[in-house]
Amino acid sequence: MSRKLIDSHRHRGLRMHLVKTLRDKNLCSREILEAFANVKRHYFLDDAFADWAYKDTAFPIDADQTISQPSTVALQTELLNVTRGMKVLEVGTGSGFQACILSYLGVKVYTIERQRRLFEKTSELLIEMGYPQIRTLYGDGYAGSPRFAPFDRIIITCGATTIPEELINQLAPGGIMIIPLGEGDVKKMVKITKGMKGKLTKTVHGTCRFVPFLSGTNGHKQQQSSKRNNYINLD
Ligand code: SAM
């Protein structure tokens, strides 16, 4: 990637304004606000859209996907309740911004993306930005990552209609999963806690909008077919 990453006074000013907006919304801890103050969101957008980077809105990125709204990232991160050293799986790498926020908080991030183009572009950007410790994976998030499981936390950053059983299996006892869940465009922000003996508890934390959690990858047509994913019903 030949693009120069420049963090100007103007970018810093806009970033601090976003942090103030998030603080005023009282969505997340001081540590998470500090992560927002340090992770340069304009690096995740094309230079032409740098001014949009610090507005509290979702924004289009490559492959018809979106970088999530900062308020949503703040809320999901808060609900995830991470502590340093935890292993976290993110489904939906997208731009890589959420992964960087988590990495800044000192967790080991594994992040999966189903769009090959985004996977390649974001993997490159994260290295260039100085986050080589984030492990990017290309694949179908419904399958999680058996190789690196179990995870202390799982965060889904696309809109699901069901709770994938395979991801629950990869959640460690005592673990937390945050998943935007429901039929239709407006999802519920759901927190699932797995007890030490595997009992699942669900709480709901408002509503949100996300691009869909699709099955399969876009690079392997045969996996895009009608493969069924088992799911858990917590209604
Ligand atoms: N977390 C991202 C960020 O910080 O920019 C935003 C993610 S974007 C809202 C949702 C992403 O989920 C898209 O990049 C989409 O390709 C991805 N996605 C959808 N279904 C998926 C699946 N089965 N496995 C992996 N990624 C998936």
Side-chain angles (χ1 to χ4, degrees), residues 7-78:
D7 190 35
S8 67
H9 277 303
R10 179 173 158 69
H11 293 130
R12 284 197 284 279
L14 292 170
R15 194 156 62 246
M16 288 313 137
H17 186 73
L18 173 63
V19 170
K20 182 182 178 314
T21 303
L22 296 177
R23 185 183 297 119
D24 291 347
K25 289 189 174 182
N26 203 18
L27 291 166
C28 64
S29 67
R30 199 170 42 80
E31 289 74 19
I32 295 172
L33 289 176
E34 196 184 308
F36 273 92
N38 282 280
V39 178
K40 296 154 188 78
R41 194 167 184 264
H42 65 283
Y43 289 172
F44 300 87
L45 302 183
D46 286 343
D47 289 341
F49 303 121
D51 278 5
W52 285 89
Y54 296 107
K55 295 185 192 297
D56 190 15
T57 55
F59 199 79
I61 54 171
D62 264 0
D64 290 332
Q65 302 305 314
T66 52
I67 180 171
S68 302
Q69 181 178 359
S71 287
T72 305
V73 175
L75 176 65
Q76 285 200 290
T77 309
E78 176 70 22

Side-chain angles (χ1 to χ4, degrees), residues 61 65-68 73 90-99 112-115 118 139-142 157-158 210-216:
I61 54 171
Q65 302 305 314
T66 52
I67 180 171
S68 302
V73 175
E90 179 193 26
V91 175
T93 311
S95 69
F97 179 71
Q98 171 76 74
I112 308 182
E113 176 54 55
R114 67 180 291 279
Q115 295 274 355
L118 266 182
D140 180 0
Y142 278 98
T157 66
C158 34
F210 274 93
V211 295
F213 188 174
L214 298 173
S215 190

